[in-house]
């Protein structure tokens, strides 16, 4: 065997898994098609990640948290869900769970940079950057991967961490539910005249969704979702015009807005893999579950998936057992499916309900929001989930 664990994908999920295996008696290889320089110093991509307390704990355990610039860590003290012009709002705050922030917001590229630094000199890790996968095959004995430069690697366990449109998943013959939503998401950091008071809002207005994530100072990350064709026109605006457009769309709730960092547009799609494991192989991160960003759970689920798999693999290695035994992979799949399916289904239902502009749907979502505002136990349960360590 060239290695024990071969991870395809050097994003947050893949690097986190590699780091989780740092002290295990295992040889690890990470294959990433991006060049080494892009992993070492990832560029700003507009995405701000709302980390749950469990994810923060994971990053601390991996040694990545202390590598984050403190000025890039912003507290999210409360979250509110709004619907059109309705006065009713679902509000989530941590007061009933000991206080403190509901979440901490960190730029995606800073997390990637910190994770890379944790594995950069890891003794049991080999990082192959700037190369992709051309072919693969698995058997009861091993997984064999052919890289696009002609090299062939064999491993006891192959892990796909190569995005929601995973090429490894396809080559393993694992089908996936892929929903291309015909909408695009623009993320844009803005400065504004008003105070956000640490409150994040998710506003399902008619024909648009606009979220505001509070950043340090009078700054926020604006997340605008529109039909793809309409987004093309917004993306073509210069910074001054875009700031004015976001101010108008948010109805001046935070005063005048100005673009503080470049805007980035991402087509929206959700994915659910039919299986999270196959012979000698497992799927983690977005390769297993590609979430809609509206509930900000995608990144957190990705970290959780690698932690679940790492725990099982390390336990097997320490006992001298097969780290890719069918029973181990079935246990991983069952555990992560139970953790991810409810939030995946609930998020998709929420998106369908709050983006459907038919009269019946408008009435239903108003009633849902009004009922939710009067159900403190439901709000407290969601808050407890976000704050779980």
């Amino acid at each position: 065997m060239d290695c024990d664990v071969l991870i395809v994908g050097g994003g947050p999920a893949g690097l986190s898994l590699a780091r989780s295996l740092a002290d295990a008696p295992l040889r690890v290889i990470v294959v990433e098609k991006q060049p080494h320089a892009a992993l070492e110093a990832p560029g700003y991509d507009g995405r701000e990640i709302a980390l749950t307390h469990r994810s923060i704990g994971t990053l601390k355990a991996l040694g990545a948290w202390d590598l984050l610039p403190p000025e890039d860590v912003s507290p999210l003290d409360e979250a509110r869900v709004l619907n059109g012009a309705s006065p009713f709002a679902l509000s989530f705050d941590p007061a009933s769970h000991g206080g403190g922030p509901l979440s901490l917001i960190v730029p995606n590229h800073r997390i990637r940079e910190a994770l890379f630094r944790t594995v950069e000199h890891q003794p049991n890790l080999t990082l192959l950057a700037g190369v992709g996968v051309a072919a693969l095959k698995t058997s009861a004995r091993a997984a064999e991967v052919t890289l696009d430069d002609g090299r062939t690697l064999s491993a006891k366990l192959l892990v796909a961490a190569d995005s929601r449109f995973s090429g490894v998943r396809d080559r393993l013959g694992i089908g996936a539910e892929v929903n291309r939503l015909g909408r695009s998401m623009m993320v844009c950091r803005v400065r504004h005249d008003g105070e956000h008071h640490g409150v994040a809002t998710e506003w399902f207005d008619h024909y648009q969704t606009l979220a505001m994530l509070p950043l340090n100072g009078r700054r926020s990350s604006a997340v605008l979702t529109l039909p793809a064709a309409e987004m093309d026109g917004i993306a073509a605006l210069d910074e001054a015009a875009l700031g004015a457009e976001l101010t108008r769309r948010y109805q001046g709730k935070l005063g005048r807005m100005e673009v503080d960092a470049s805007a980035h547009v991402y087509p929206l799609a959700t994915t659910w893999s039919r299986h999270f494991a196959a012979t000698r192989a497992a799927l983690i991160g977005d390769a297993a579950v590609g979430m809609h960003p509206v509930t900000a759970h995608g990144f957190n689920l990705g970290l959780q998936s690698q932690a679940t798999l790492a725990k099982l693999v390390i336990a097997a290695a320490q006992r001298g057992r097969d780290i890719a035994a069918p029973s181990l992979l079935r246990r991983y799949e069952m555990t992560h499916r139970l953790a991810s399916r409810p939030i995946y289904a609930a998020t998709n239902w929420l998106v369908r309900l709050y983006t459907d502009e038919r009269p019946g749907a408008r009435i239903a979502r108003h009633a849902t929001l009004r009922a939710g505002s009067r159900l403190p136990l439901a709000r407290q349960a969601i808050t407890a989930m976000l704050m779980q360590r």
Side-chain angles (χ1 to χ4, degrees):
M1 299 290 177
D2 292 290
C3 65
D4 297 295
V5 182
L6 175 57
I7 304 168
V8 179
L15 292 181
S16 295
L17 177 60
R19 180 60 179 171
S20 292
L21 301 176
D23 296 324
L26 299 169
R27 296 161 297 161
V28 182
I29 294 177
V30 172
V31 173
E32 169 55 48
K33 62 184 178 181
Q34 289 189 92
H36 188 277
L39 294 176
E40 185 177 25
Y44 172 73
D45 62 11
R47 290 177 288 187
E48 308 281 348
I49 307 299
L51 296 167
T52 62
H53 287 262
R54 173 182 284 184
S55 292
I56 293 167
T58 298
L59 292 174
K60 287 180 178 178
L62 296 176
W65 185 259
D66 290 339
L67 300 176
L68 296 171
E71 64 272 15
D72 283 329
V73 179
S74 305
L76 191 164
D77 295 322
E78 183 182 344
R80 295 173 186 163
V81 181
L82 310 173
N83 174 46
S86 171
F88 298 99
L90 277 177
S91 181
F92 305 94
D93 70 78
S96 60
H97 296 273
L102 188 66
S103 173
L104 293 176
I105 300 174
V106 183
N108 181 60
H109 73 292
R110 293 301 188 200
I111 300 174
R112 295 171 67 101
E113 181 180 48
L115 286 169
F116 176 81
R117 289 174 61 189
T118 67
V119 303
E120 189 173 12
H121 304 294
Q122 185 170 311
N124 71 335
L125 172 66
T126 300
L127 175 61
L128 303 178
V131 63
V133 172
L136 65 84
K137 59 182 179 180
T138 62
S139 68
R141 178 180 175 274
E144 188 174 283
V145 172
T146 301
L147 304 181
D148 55 20
D149 62 6
R151 284 179 289 177
T152 300
L153 303 172
S154 61
K156 296 177 183 177
L157 173 63
L158 171 65
V159 179
D162 56 337
S163 87
R164 65 188 63 202
F165 303 113
S166 171
V168 172
R169 181 182 64 210
D170 293 343
R171 290 185 173 96
L172 288 169
I174 298 177
E177 171 190 299
V178 179
N179 303 304
R180 298 182 186 273
L181 303 177
R183 290 174 172 262
S184 293
M185 174 185 73
M186 171 185 282
V187 284
C188 180
R189 190 180 292 175
V190 296
R191 298 185 304 274
H192 42 74
D193 295 336
E195 296 284 356
H196 52 55
H197 302 292
V199 177
T201 58
E202 185 79 44
W203 184 17
F204 293 99
D205 197 11
H206 300 309
Y207 304 104
Q208 72 170 15
T209 301
L210 183 54
M212 285 289 172
L213 303 180
L215 304 178
N216 291 329
R218 291 184 178 180
R219 298 184 307 150
S220 293
S221 174
V223 186
L224 175 65
T225 303
L226 293 170
E230 187 177 350
M231 183 64 80
D232 291 341
I234 304 297
L237 297 175
D238 61 31
E239 289 191 352
L242 179 57
E245 179 68 8
L246 291 172
T247 302
R248 181 187 70 81
R249 286 180 176 271
Y250 203 56
Q251 297 184 0
K253 296 177 187 292
L254 287 173
R256 182 175 57 90
M257 294 184 186
E258 295 180 348
V259 173
D260 190 51
S262 58
H264 297 257
V265 175
Y266 298 94
L268 290 181
T270 63
T271 57
W272 175 266
S273 297
R274 303 297 185 190
H275 298 284
F276 294 173
T279 302
R280 294 273 160 198
L283 278 57
I284 64 172
D286 282 357
V289 183
M291 292 283 295
H292 192 288
V294 68
T295 54
H297 276 291
F299 186 97
N300 296 294
L301 274 178
L303 279 187
Q304 188 173 340
S305 69
Q306 69 79 27
T308 299
L309 180 61
K311 183 178 180 180
L312 294 170
V313 168
I314 292 169
Q318 289 174 340
R319 294 181 175 92
R321 297 176 180 173
D322 186 357
I323 62 170
S327 58
L328 182 154
L329 295 176
R330 282 197 299 270
R331 186 175 177 186
Y332 162 69
E333 179 171 34
M334 178 185 69
T335 301
H336 193 49
R337 288 174 82 87
L338 286 173
S340 55
R341 187 67 196 190
I343 189 63
Y344 178 82
T347 298
N348 288 349
W349 173 83
L350 182 74
V351 170
R352 286 194 299 270
L353 176 64
Y354 281 89
T355 57
D356 189 339
E357 294 301 331
R358 292 176 296 180
R362 288 191 179 189
I363 294 172
R365 65 191 186 221
H366 176 77
T368 300
L369 198 64
R370 182 165 183 166
S373 68
R374 297 178 176 178
L375 294 175
L377 291 179
R379 298 200 308 275
Q380 290 173 15
I382 294 173
T383 302
M385 179 187 68
L386 294 172
M387 299 194 70
Q388 181 182 6
R389 287 173 167 80

